[in-house]
Amino acid sequence: MPNNQSVNRQIVLRSRPVGAPTADNFALVDAEVPVPSEGQVLLKTLYLSLDPYMRGRMSDTASYAPPVEVGEAMVGGTVSRVATSRHPDFQAGDLVLAYSGWQDYALSDGADLRQLDRAMPQPSLALGVLGMPGFTAYMGLLDIGQPQAGETVVVAAASGAVGSVVGQIAKHRGCHVVGIAGGAEKCRFVVETLGFDACVDHRGADFAAQLAAACPHGIDVYFESVGGAVFDAVLPLLNTRARIPLCGLIAHYNDTDLPPGPDRLGLLTRTLLIKRIKMQGFIIFDDYGHRYDEFASQMRAWVQAGTVKFREDRVDGLEHAPQAFIGQLEGKNFGKLVIRVANDQP
């Protein structure tokens, strides 16, 4: 993992993908290490978070955030050390949660930084269970899903960074929790390690029947991050006044046209109407940023007590970020995907 203060390696968007991204859409380039001006800090990236939303930023389409321009470094959350500070609120050696993107070094004016404990034993957790994915799970389930004891909660991508936390919180609330994951190994992990009541393999030929069998009383809360065939199997099982927090649709991120098959919009809207179902999309920091401290305090307590467990899928080396990201969109990661960009030497 080469990382020195003379070269700033960057993974830039070389071209916009058509359909699924490929390695040719990215380029590893060397740039100069930026020099902070008064009121700025120079950040050294230690860990980079890879998340499915980044696929949307690669396309030049209207969304809740602007796209990455061709030739610019890819965006992403990071855990970084302050290498040099010309800002009164930060000192060299401070550990911060930042948004430095796919590069070794970045400048910040401090407005987008969140201080972390300098001696945090596993800093990368600030990108997972203690960061954006955990925050997404916490607010989406509790504020939108509002699970009640005895209800059935179904979680898409249950072994992933968000879904794994959703299910554990739901169990803490006394719910019957059913996960959906890809493959027998992930399903075993969801049940045996995370404590879900059941987990169904969406790759199985009889997936829809297995899901129905795991939810004999229907579904009261469905935490959606996938879409596609998974949602098709969930839809007929939804109970009256079910709630659907919607944080992503990974099955559709590479779509270039409408999906094949019959138009299911009428079925969806009719089901939402007659069953009075609440389906709400949310962008975590836009909608709930003011409640981050509430989440952070509660989640730290749960993690320390062992109430919430986590799994990290760590890849060494910034140069491996493109392939790891492509694999994530194909469901190859197992747990929160993090790139270790540099060894931590404060």
Side-chain angles (χ1 to χ4, degrees), residues 272-291:
L272 295 178
L273 172 62
I274 65 175
K275 292 188 175 181
R276 285 86 83 197
I277 292 168
K278 175 184 178 181
M279 186 173 189
Q280 180 176 332
F282 66 105
I283 306 301
I284 186 60
F285 280 103
D286 287 2
D287 296 328
Y288 293 106
H290 61 288
R291 296 180 64 180

Side-chain angles (χ1 to χ4, degrees), residues 40-296:
Q40 292 184 317
V41 295
L42 175 66
L43 301 175
K44 176 183 178 181
T45 304
L46 304 181
Y47 298 97
L48 166 67
S49 176
L50 294 185
D51 300 285
Y53 77 83
M54 295 171 177
R55 172 61 184 86
R57 301 292 177 85
M58 298 175 72
S59 298
D60 189 11
T61 56
S63 185
Y64 62 89
V68 176
E69 296 297 331
V70 173
E72 286 187 351
M74 285 288 296
V75 297
T78 63
V79 169
S80 304
R81 287 279 182 193
V82 175
T84 307
S85 177
R86 299 189 64 187
H87 191 294
D89 296 337
F90 299 92
Q91 298 179 353
D94 282 351
L95 189 68
V96 297
L97 183 63
Y99 199 67
S100 299
W102 299 25
Q103 57 185 341
D104 287 324
Y105 293 96
L107 293 178
S108 172
D109 63 3
D112 60 340
L113 303 182
R114 188 175 295 274
Q115 290 268 17
L116 301 173
D117 183 347
R118 278 192 181 213
M120 191 175 179
Q122 192 173 341
S124 57
L125 294 189
L127 300 173
V129 65
L130 299 179
M132 183 269 288
F135 192 22
T136 299
Y138 181 90
M139 296 309 314
L141 179 66
L142 297 182
D143 194 66
I144 299 172
Q146 299 185 5
Q148 304 299 312
E151 290 189 322
T152 295
V153 175
V154 171
V155 185
S159 67
V162 175
S164 62
V165 178
V166 170
Q168 292 178 84
I169 298 174
K171 283 299 298 179
H172 187 62
R173 288 296 177 100
C175 299
H176 176 73
V177 182
V178 177
I180 299 171
E185 182 184 6
K186 290 182 178 179
C187 285
R188 280 195 301 271
F189 169 76
V190 166
V191 174
E192 296 174 5
T193 301
L194 302 182
F196 287 43
D197 295 289
C199 188
V200 183
D201 185 355
H202 67 76
R203 297 174 182 169
D206 57 346
F207 163 61
Q210 286 194 37
L211 181 63
C215 305
H217 304 294
I219 298 171
D220 299 295
V221 180
Y222 172 54
F223 201 102
E224 174 66 297
S225 60
V226 174
V230 171
F231 185 73
D232 288 347
V234 167
L235 185 60
L237 303 177
L238 292 169
N239 289 332
T240 298
R241 292 189 173 86
R243 290 82 70 198
I244 307 175
L246 170 61
C247 73
L249 291 167
I250 193 170
H252 301 288
Y253 286 167
N254 293 324
D255 288 354
T256 57
D257 205 344
L258 292 174
D263 181 359
R264 299 175 65 81
L265 180 60
L267 174 62
L268 170 61
T269 52
R270 181 175 184 273
T271 303
L272 295 178
L273 172 62
I274 65 175
K275 292 188 175 181
R276 285 86 83 197
I277 292 168
K278 175 184 178 181
M279 186 173 189
Q280 180 176 332
F282 66 105
I283 306 301
I284 186 60
F285 280 103
D286 287 2
D287 296 328
Y288 293 106
H290 61 288
R291 296 180 64 180
Y292 183 87
D293 290 341
E294 168 197 335
F295 148 76

